[in-house]
């Protein structure tokens, strides 16, 4: 199972970007899927996650500006980022917690490749 992320780029402060991530492969269930980010010199931090039952969590710094959405089985997720700020500049990583159908007792964390978001002031 792999995660493929897309989106990102350069935008001016106040602008918008949309990130997308899709899980591909066979015989698995997605328990949660979402986005983390890592700014230069900082630790990776959660941005937004969508869980089974469609519950969501957001980092305080992005509440009201970012919206995470996913399809019914959460194999694809998008992060709409509005009113971007320079402090949102970071490499954004898609992350998923999956349960393989063949080995349900050994769930796995997956990471997609990072995508750079740069917000200029």
């Amino acid at each position: 199972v792999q995660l493929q992320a897309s989106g990102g780029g350069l935008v001016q402060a106040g602008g918008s970007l949309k990130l997308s991530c899709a899980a591909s492969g066979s015989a698995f269930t997605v328990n949660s899927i979402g986005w983390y980010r890592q700014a230069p010199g900082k630790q990776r931090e959660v941005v937004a996650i969508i869980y089974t039952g469609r519950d969501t969590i957001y980092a305080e710094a992005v509440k009201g500006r970012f919206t995470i959405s996913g399809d019914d089985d959460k194999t694809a997720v998008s992060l709409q980022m509005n009113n971007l700020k320079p402090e949102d500049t970071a490499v954004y990583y898609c992350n998923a917690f999956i349960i393989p159908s063949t080995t349900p007792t050994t769930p796995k964390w997956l990471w997609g490749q990072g995508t750079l978001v740069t917000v200029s002031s």
Side-chain angles (χ1 to χ4, degrees):
V1 181
Q2 293 183 330
L3 296 178
Q4 183 66 43
S6 61
L10 173 64
V11 66
Q12 289 188 332
S16 298
L17 283 174
K18 185 175 182 179
L19 305 181
S20 298
C21 177
S24 62
S26 61
F28 66 95
T29 301
V30 177
N31 179 267
S32 67
I33 189 167
W35 295 91
Y36 286 68
R37 68 185 180 186
Q38 188 166 18
K42 295 188 177 181
Q43 290 187 332
R44 192 171 297 188
E45 61 180 6
V46 66
V47 177
I49 300 173
I50 186 166
Y51 293 91
T52 300
R54 310 191 76 79
D55 290 338
T56 57
I57 64 166
Y58 292 92
E60 284 295 326
V62 307
K63 282 183 179 179
R65 300 187 297 121
F66 291 11
T67 302
I68 189 170
S69 60
D71 58 5
D72 289 343
D73 61 3
K74 297 185 298 298
T75 56
V77 65
S78 295
L79 184 69
Q80 179 65 45
M81 305 184 292
N82 297 328
N83 190 23
L84 282 160
K85 303 176 180 181
E87 51 264 42
D88 294 318
T89 295
V91 177
Y92 285 68
Y93 296 91
C94 182
N95 169 269
F97 187 60
I98 69 161
I99 301 172
S101 301
T102 55
T103 56
T105 59
T106 56
K108 299 180 180 180
W109 288 102
L110 298 178
W111 290 95
Q113 83 280 13
T115 184
L116 178 62
V117 172
T118 304
V119 185
S120 62
S121 57

